[in-house]
Amino acid sequence: MVVPIPEGGVQVELVCGLLLWFGATCQGGPGPAQRDALMREEASRQIGGRLALTAAEQRLDARLHQLKEREMAAPSFPPAVHFFKAKLLIQRSPIFGLLQKMPKGGALHIHSSTLVSVDWLVKNVTYRPRCYICFTWDRSIRFLFSDRQPFPRWDCFHWQLLETLRAKMGDATDFDKSLIRNLTLFTEDPDAAYPSQDIVWEKFEKAFIVASGLITHAPVLRDYIYQGLEELYQDNIMYLELRSGLSRTYELDGSIHDKVWSLKTFQEVAQRFVGDHPDFLGARVIITVHRALSVADVKAAVKEAMQMQRDFPHVVAGFDLVGREDSGRTLWYFKEALLLPADMGRVLPYFFHAGETDEEGTDVDENILDALLFNTTRIGHGYALAHHPLAKELSRKGNVAVELCPISNQVLKLVSDLRNHPAAVLMSEGHPMVISSDDPSLFGTTGLSYDFYQAFVGIGGLKANLATLKELALNSIRYSSLPPPLKQTGLAMWQKKWDTFISAGFKELNQKGTRLI
Amino acid sequence: MVVPIPEGGVQVELVCGLLLWFGATCQGGPGPAQRDALMREEASRQIGGRLALTAAEQRLDARLHQLKEREMAAPSFPPAVHFFKAKLLIQRSPIFGLLQKMPKGGALHIHSSTLVSVDWLVKNVTYRPRCYICFTWDRSIRFLFSDRQPFPRWDCFHWQLLETLRAKMGDATDFDKSLIRNLTLFTEDPDAAYPSQDIVWEKFEKAFIVASGLITHAPVLRDYIYQGLEELYQDNIMYLELRSGLSRTYELDGSIHDKVWSLKTFQEVAQRFVGDHPDFLGARVIITVHRALSVADVKAAVKEAMQMQRDFPHVVAGFDLVGREDSGRTLWYFKEALLLPADMGRVLPYFFHAGETDEEGTDVDENILDALLFNTTRIGHGYALAHHPLAKELSRKGNVAVELCPISNQVLKLVSDLRNHPAAVLMSEGHPMVISSDDPSLFGTTGLSYDFYQAFVGIGGLKANLATLKELALNSIRYSSLPPPLKQTGLAMWQKKWDTFISAGFKELNQKGTRLI
């Protein structure tokens, strides 16, 4: 074999070419200055990479960097293990403490049935009078509030008054724990409990049904929404876009309220909450239907959503399809329904779940491009987006933000070590993105701080910094469904909170030395 | 809260805008034709996306697609589980059968100490006369060929003649199995055996040391190289670039040959192998040193490599640093050494390992940009590349191919489910890439078929097709260190093999109906 090797010059020329390409000089090979220029150029592309930080922000950022280095060097790195095992570690993290205090803007991807912590549901709601419970054949439970002994239903024959049953049980704490287990996915050994996506999704959907009996009781719904907003507010969140199917609700006597009642109730409660908390911006609803429905049903739902948006323009943000993408119907399957607004010359903003899958190249995977084709305003999850170069380009150019829900993706078994979450690519490129929590009650979180932690420490790695956090928070207002004037109001409100946060963090740092905040 | 919603028109305009952007017409919303245009545009960007397939190739491709759909729907998807558990599943896959028969071009990233299957080392080499064994304090073993009882060494006191010891053991099969366990990472319960990266890397580096006593025996080395080429040839590989530290070798009487002897031996054996197998293109060496060395040592190694490349231009391809990146020194640390050739106006092509890490944003992670800054010809692993937008752009523009070794990355615990391997991003974007096996003997593979399977079925997903495979194979010649005329020779040789492969696969398909090949 004859392999002539070119002699001399080539290597130097190429190195120089690379440097000259970046406007650097080229003498004696790449020096620290040229290298720094490359590193800076690359860092500038990530989320927050083009934000200039104030002196106070820079000092806080430097401290954050130190803390992150320490956390990455520890033997157990929380984002690398299942959240159910990492939760206690995260709670001990000073970075997490900071994130809790940080004004995070809006929560744009949360489902209504999983908005409020399970503790509140069990400790508050199930202790209310006239709450009945029933055990199903598949060892699940149902709840129902009723002023008389409920009739047997197809899924549940024997209803017992919860108060009586709880009194019969020796240990109410244990009993309540068993109720909690039915309402959340949280468990100490998630790998054993959920060996596959199918199994975790089955439990996931069961938990939704369990909660529904409590939440759809009309008086509970009112308190539930308020409590949900309160929990977000406690986590320094100032705005919510809630995905909700607007279930019909029931009264003690079995009478039923329609969807419009739920929508009005949501609006009233949100207004009351804003009245009680003037630094909370508000809340809107993204109306959802399940992707298991027929085209005709989804058509009807789209029409209904258009009508509700016309009637309640301040509260209805738009429309989405929910349910597991992998086992459900694709967006393209519903094209006739989804094109209705365009066909009628009307507007119904879409906020589609798309690409919450690891089945690369399948029909389900194509939801990503179809969501864009149907002009979605944001992409729910977009787990598969990084593998779709064209869709990535389109969503970037169109300012279509991805709603990243890291803990959800891990618990629902798309990824085990969050450092491998494909959103790392999107973060490094500065793709439009917001952070959300999807189903906080099911995953044992409240607010967004846990998901921010995973995105910031795990997915973003050491290079994600305070500017990344700032941009992610800003994005949640910027990419919300709010009209421009309200976005301005929101941004101003947020900036005030942010300034307070920075100066408090900064002061604390100066006072306590090593403690962060 | 006041949220005015714009009325009418906007949605239609945006959908149309998206379509017009792609030169499609826009009447009545996106239709199947427009959608297909988007899908085709996206598909064209992946590896192989711009290759036109012949009719015969298209028919084989259609069959491959069916088979892949079936494999993805099966309850246990091999790329999603640890390779040590998936290996038997993969062996039963008809896609794997096809990949074994496919001419795969060159293997560009294999380390010399792990080139040959452990079975051959134990069944052949350890049965040779005058092979001594010694058990170390940390329950590892050492081998040594010697014409007399070897002296005790710092790591090993009591040497026994292997032949005698084996005879003493009742069951030679069991004994040989225990030898095998010392030479490979393969085990039935990898999660229990290797709970962390640190532990798997410790075993990894131990296995290298165990093998060295066998391989560095001069007469063994000769057969070893031949056997290594034979195993690649059996897997339809026609070219090798072997990373080798060119260890000194020893004779029975303890006399030592220098590195040049190893290089000459490699050249002679490769020439003999090509003589015996005229459809094998040849083999070259990438000279390596360990990144644990000092700058001065690496300087000396760079100088030595330049000299050897000058003396053996047909066989020396270039230079690399090896050893675990996470715990070793960075490329930038060695800058003085690595800039030596450029400073001297000379050429030493680099083939740097870079970004074999999940420690995003750390100094180690910066090896990716530094490898490019030092003008690397290819990037070994580049696991972190997808998270480096600038480096990705530079390597794409500079035709710097990534050497993807999926099984290695999984076994060394960078990723568990290969669908989450960041190279999925690179594949979807058509990034310059070749597939290799890194350390086949340690992972229990031979050839490249297993790694091709993981890249094709797991990382590439359903959308990776026969054109992807074709381009990956072509890339291995295109991005090799061969000078242009030899690349042409190689490409012509490969094309002939490919045509035979396609027509054989095609015929078989016609004859046997459902069986692929």
Side-chain angles (χ1 to χ4, degrees):
Chain A
M1 189 169 76
V2 181
V3 185
I5 301 295
E7 298 274 331
V10 176
Q11 181 148 348
V12 180
E13 273 167 31
L14 284 175
V15 174
C16 285
L18 181 63
L19 292 172
L20 292 172
W21 203 52
F22 280 89
T25 58
C26 182
Q27 278 181 329
Q34 288 91 335
R35 180 174 185 260
D36 285 352
L38 281 185
M39 299 288 170
R40 271 200 310 276
E41 162 67 20
E42 182 148 271
S44 75
R45 299 195 182 185
Q46 74 171 346
I47 292 180
R50 293 182 197 275
L51 284 186
L53 295 183
T54 64
E57 286 171 340
Q58 281 173 30
R59 289 187 62 172
L60 193 56
D61 182 50
R63 181 74 183 118
L64 256 181
H65 189 84
Q66 281 180 337
L67 290 170
K68 214 191 246 188
E69 273 182 326
R70 199 196 296 163
E71 227 138 291
M72 285 173 80
S76 195
F77 184 56
V81 296
H82 194 291
F83 174 68
F84 295 170
K85 292 177 181 167
K87 190 178 168 185
L88 285 173
L89 290 174
I90 294 175
Q91 286 173 345
R92 284 199 293 266
S93 153
I95 296 176
F96 178 70
L98 183 85
L99 291 171
Q100 287 182 299
K101 295 199 167 77
M102 187 180 87
K104 288 172 280 290
L108 305 188
H109 186 125
I110 299 185
H111 293 274
S112 59
S113 306
T114 54
L115 171 66
V116 180
S117 66
V118 169
D119 264 10
W120 183 83
L121 278 183
V122 170
K123 301 280 166 57
N124 180 313
V125 180
T126 74
Y127 275 82
R128 297 185 184 200
R130 293 177 183 146
C131 184
Y132 286 83
I133 186 169
C134 177
F135 297 89
T136 66
W137 58 270
D138 60 345
R139 298 198 295 176
S140 182
I141 52 175
R142 299 288 179 271
F143 296 105
L144 189 70
F145 286 91
S146 177
D147 57 10
R148 74 209 75 170
Q149 174 69 28
F151 290 114
R153 293 194 324 206
W154 71 270
D155 58 345
C156 235
F157 297 117
H158 178 54
W159 292 93
Q160 304 172 67
L161 200 57
L162 188 47
E163 200 180 338
T164 316
L165 181 66
R166 191 181 268 122
K168 267 192 234 164
M169 300 286 168
D171 189 346
T173 316
D174 263 12
F175 178 70
D176 288 352
K177 274 188 190 156
S178 77
L179 297 185
I180 285 176
R181 274 198 296 277
N182 276 280
L183 285 159
T184 176
L185 291 172
F186 199 87
T187 166
E188 280 177 10
D189 192 355
D191 299 320
Y194 312 121
S196 72
Q197 287 186 13
D198 287 344
I199 290 171
V200 74
W201 270 94
E202 194 190 325
K203 174 77 193 278
F204 180 82
E205 283 171 353
K206 268 188 190 175
F208 268 92
I209 298 172
V210 175
S212 68
L214 298 173
I215 303 168
T216 59
H217 182 39
V220 171
L221 182 65
R222 224 177 257 119
D223 298 350
Y224 179 87
I225 296 166
Y226 197 96
Q227 173 68 17
L229 296 175
E230 186 66 45
E231 289 180 10
L232 295 177
Y233 183 77
Q234 290 303 325
D235 196 46
N236 289 299
I237 292 158
M238 54 182 271
Y239 174 66
L240 168 66
E241 287 182 11
L242 188 68
R243 276 168 168 87
S244 172
L246 298 176
S247 302
R248 293 183 303 169
T249 53
Y250 67 97
E251 295 287 353
L252 271 187
D253 62 2
S255 61
I256 300 286
H257 301 294
D258 64 5
K259 289 187 175 184
V260 171
W261 186 93
S262 298
L263 197 55
K264 277 186 183 160
T265 301
F266 180 85
Q267 190 177 27
E268 280 163 24
V269 175
Q271 276 167 351
R272 180 154 54 87
F273 190 86
V274 171
D276 298 344
H277 307 78
D279 60 337
F280 192 81
L281 186 61
R284 303 187 80 195
V285 163
I286 295 166
I287 298 173
T288 60
V289 288
H290 203 282
R291 60 186 344 115
L293 297 189
S294 68
V295 176
D297 287 341
V298 173
K299 254 185 171 173
V302 165
K303 278 184 191 160
E304 190 182 41
M306 282 195 288
Q307 187 57 47
M308 287 202 269
Q309 206 210 13
R310 181 160 283 207
D311 297 341
F312 300 89
H314 308 329
V315 65
V316 174
F319 181 82
D320 187 14
L321 289 163
V322 296
R324 189 179 175 196
E325 278 183 75
D326 280 337
S327 51
R329 286 160 171 167
T330 62
L331 291 176
W332 188 246
Y333 176 85
F334 293 113
K335 59 183 176 301
E336 226 185 293
L338 302 179
L339 287 174
L340 260 185
D343 287 346
M344 297 165 68
R346 295 271 300 282
V347 172
L348 180 66
Y350 290 140
F351 297 85
F352 289 130
H353 279 72
E356 189 185 4
T357 183
D358 52 16
E359 306 211 331
E360 209 180 333
T362 61
D363 288 353
V364 174
D365 187 45
E366 288 172 359
N367 279 343
I368 281 275
L369 261 177
D370 285 328
L372 293 163
L373 202 61
F374 291 127
N375 192 28
T376 198
T377 300
R378 296 193 301 265
I379 293 173
H381 293 291
Y383 187 83
L385 182 65
H387 304 165
H388 287 263
L390 176 64
K392 209 169 67 172
E393 211 175 298
L394 291 175
S395 61
R396 190 190 184 95
K397 286 188 178 155
N399 277 317
V400 177
V402 164
E403 299 161 351
L404 172 66
C405 305
I407 293 172
S408 171
N409 298 154
Q410 191 194 48
V411 173
L412 296 175
K413 297 186 84 75
L414 285 172
V415 60
S416 52
D417 182 337
L418 282 169
R419 288 174 294 188
N420 287 319
H421 196 296
V425 174
L426 305 178
M427 285 184 76
S428 73
E429 293 171 353
H431 198 90
M433 178 185 288
V434 297
I435 306 296
S436 204
S437 56
D438 202 9
D439 299 291
S441 75
L442 288 185
F443 309 139
T445 66
T446 51
L448 299 182
S449 294
Y450 289 98
D451 285 282
F452 260 86
Y453 177 89
Q454 302 283 24
F456 178 62
V457 178
I459 304 178
L462 196 57
K463 66 187 176 183
N465 55 24
L466 189 65
T468 313
L469 293 172
K470 191 175 179 179
E471 183 153 322
L472 285 170
L474 283 167
N475 281 351
S476 71
I477 314 278
R478 210 177 270 156
Y479 296 120
S480 72
S481 68
L482 292 168
L486 259 177
K487 282 188 187 173
Q488 287 313 314
T489 310
L491 289 172
M493 276 171 72
W494 177 86
Q495 185 67 51
K496 213 174 137 194
K497 287 168 184 282
W498 179 263
D499 292 343
T500 310
F501 162 72
I502 293 296
S503 77
F506 188 64
K507 260 189 219 148
E508 194 91 6
L509 215 73
N510 279 350
Q511 281 167 11
K512 301 199 180 165
T514 55
R515 273 206 64 220
L516 179 61
I517 203 154
Chain B
M1 189 171 73
V2 182
V3 185
I5 300 295
E7 297 275 331
V10 176
Q11 181 147 348
V12 181
E13 273 167 33
L14 286 176
V15 174
C16 284
L18 181 64
L19 292 172
L20 292 171
W21 203 50
F22 280 88
T25 58
C26 183
Q27 280 181 327
Q34 288 91 335
R35 181 175 186 258
D36 285 353
L38 282 185
M39 300 286 169
R40 274 200 308 277
E41 162 66 20
E42 182 149 271
S44 75
R45 300 195 181 184
Q46 75 172 345
I47 292 180
R50 294 182 196 274
L51 284 187
L53 296 183
T54 65
E57 286 171 339
Q58 282 173 29
R59 288 187 61 173
L60 193 57
D61 182 50
R63 182 76 183 118
L64 255 181
H65 189 84
Q66 281 181 335
L67 291 170
K68 213 190 247 189
E69 273 183 324
R70 199 196 297 162
E71 228 138 291
M72 284 175 82
S76 197
F77 184 56
V81 297
H82 195 289
F83 174 68
F84 295 170
K85 293 177 180 168
K87 190 178 170 186
L88 285 172
L89 290 174
I90 294 174
Q91 285 172 347
R92 285 200 292 268
S93 153
I95 297 175
F96 178 70
L98 183 86
L99 291 172
Q100 285 183 300
K101 295 198 166 78
M102 186 181 88
K104 288 171 280 290
L108 305 188
H109 186 125
I110 299 184
H111 294 274
S112 59
S113 306
T114 55
L115 172 66
V116 181
S117 66
V118 169
D119 264 11
W120 184 84
L121 278 183
V122 171
K123 300 281 166 57
N124 180 313
V125 180
T126 73
Y127 276 81
R128 298 185 182 200
R130 293 175 183 149
C131 183
Y132 286 83
I133 188 170
C134 177
F135 297 88
T136 66
W137 59 270
D138 60 347
R139 298 197 296 175
S140 182
I141 53 176
R142 299 288 180 271
F143 296 105
L144 190 70
F145 287 91
S146 177
D147 57 9
R148 73 207 72 166
Q149 175 68 28
F151 291 114
R153 294 195 321 206
W154 70 269
D155 57 346
C156 236
F157 296 116
H158 179 54
W159 292 93
Q160 305 172 67
L161 201 56
L162 188 47
E163 202 179 336
T164 317
L165 181 65
R166 191 181 268 122
K168 268 193 235 165
M169 299 288 168
D171 189 344
T173 315
D174 262 12
F175 179 70
D176 287 352
K177 275 189 191 157
S178 78
L179 297 185
I180 285 176
R181 276 198 295 277
N182 277 282
L183 285 158
T184 175
L185 290 173
F186 199 89
T187 166
E188 280 176 13
D189 191 356
D191 299 320
Y194 311 120
S196 71
Q197 286 186 14
D198 286 345
I199 290 171
V200 74
W201 270 95
E202 193 190 327
K203 175 78 195 278
F204 179 84
E205 282 169 354
K206 268 188 188 174
F208 269 92
I209 298 171
V210 175
S212 68
L214 299 173
I215 303 168
T216 60
H217 183 39
V220 171
L221 182 65
R222 225 177 257 118
D223 299 349
Y224 178 87
I225 297 166
Y226 197 96
Q227 173 67 17
L229 296 175
E230 185 67 42
E231 289 181 9
L232 294 178
Y233 183 77
Q234 290 304 324
D235 195 46
N236 290 298
I237 292 157
M238 54 182 271
Y239 175 66
L240 167 67
E241 287 181 11
L242 188 69
R243 277 169 167 86
S244 171
L246 298 175
S247 302
R248 294 182 303 170
T249 54
Y250 66 97
E251 295 287 355
L252 271 186
D253 62 2
S255 63
I256 300 287
H257 301 294
D258 63 6
K259 289 186 175 187
V260 171
W261 186 94
S262 298
L263 197 55
K264 278 184 181 160
T265 301
F266 180 85
Q267 189 176 29
E268 281 162 23
V269 175
Q271 275 165 352
R272 181 154 52 86
F273 190 86
V274 172
D276 298 344
H277 307 79
D279 60 338
F280 191 82
L281 186 63
R284 305 187 77 195
V285 163
I286 295 165
I287 298 172
T288 61
V289 288
H290 203 283
R291 58 186 345 115
L293 297 189
S294 68
V295 176
D297 287 341
V298 173
K299 254 185 171 172
V302 165
K303 277 184 190 159
E304 190 183 40
M306 282 195 287
Q307 188 58 47
M308 287 202 268
Q309 206 209 15
R310 180 159 284 206
D311 297 342
F312 300 89
H314 309 326
V315 66
V316 174
F319 182 82
D320 187 15
L321 289 163
V322 296
R324 186 179 177 197
E325 278 184 75
D326 279 337
S327 51
R329 285 159 172 168
T330 63
L331 291 175
W332 189 247
Y333 175 87
F334 293 114
K335 60 183 176 300
E336 225 184 296
L338 302 179
L339 288 173
L340 259 183
D343 287 346
M344 297 165 69
R346 293 271 300 283
V347 172
L348 181 65
Y350 291 139
F351 298 84
F352 289 130
H353 279 72
E356 189 186 4
T357 183
D358 52 16
E359 307 210 331
E360 209 180 334
T362 61
D363 288 353
V364 173
D365 186 46
E366 288 173 358
N367 279 342
I368 281 274
L369 260 176
D370 285 328
L372 292 163
L373 201 62
F374 291 126
N375 194 27
T376 197
T377 299
R378 294 193 302 265
I379 293 173
H381 294 291
Y383 187 83
L385 182 64
H387 304 165
H388 287 262
L390 177 64
K392 210 171 66 173
E393 210 176 297
L394 291 174
S395 61
R396 189 188 185 99
K397 286 190 177 152
N399 278 317
V400 176
V402 165
E403 300 161 350
L404 172 65
C405 305
I407 293 172
S408 170
N409 298 152
Q410 192 194 48
V411 173
L412 296 175
K413 296 185 87 73
L414 284 173
V415 60
S416 52
D417 182 338
L418 282 169
R419 289 175 293 188
N420 287 320
H421 196 296
V425 173
L426 305 177
M427 285 184 75
S428 72
E429 293 170 353
H431 199 89
M433 179 185 287
V434 297
I435 306 295
S436 204
S437 56
D438 202 11
D439 300 290
S441 75
L442 288 185
F443 309 138
T445 67
T446 52
L448 299 184
S449 294
Y450 289 99
D451 284 283
F452 261 86
Y453 176 89
Q454 303 282 25
F456 178 61
V457 179
I459 304 178
L462 196 57
K463 65 188 177 185
N465 55 23
L466 189 66
T468 313
L469 292 171
K470 191 175 180 180
E471 183 153 322
L472 285 169
L474 283 166
N475 281 352
S476 72
I477 315 277
R478 210 177 270 155
Y479 297 119
S480 73
S481 69
L482 291 167
L486 258 178
K487 281 188 187 173
Q488 287 312 314
T489 310
L491 288 172
M493 277 170 72
W494 176 85
Q495 184 67 50
K496 215 175 135 193
K497 287 168 184 281
W498 178 262
D499 293 342
T500 310
F501 162 72
I502 293 295
S503 76
F506 188 62
K507 260 188 221 152
E508 195 92 4
L509 215 73
N510 280 348
Q511 281 167 11
K512 302 199 179 165
T514 56
R515 274 206 64 222
L516 180 61
I517 205 155

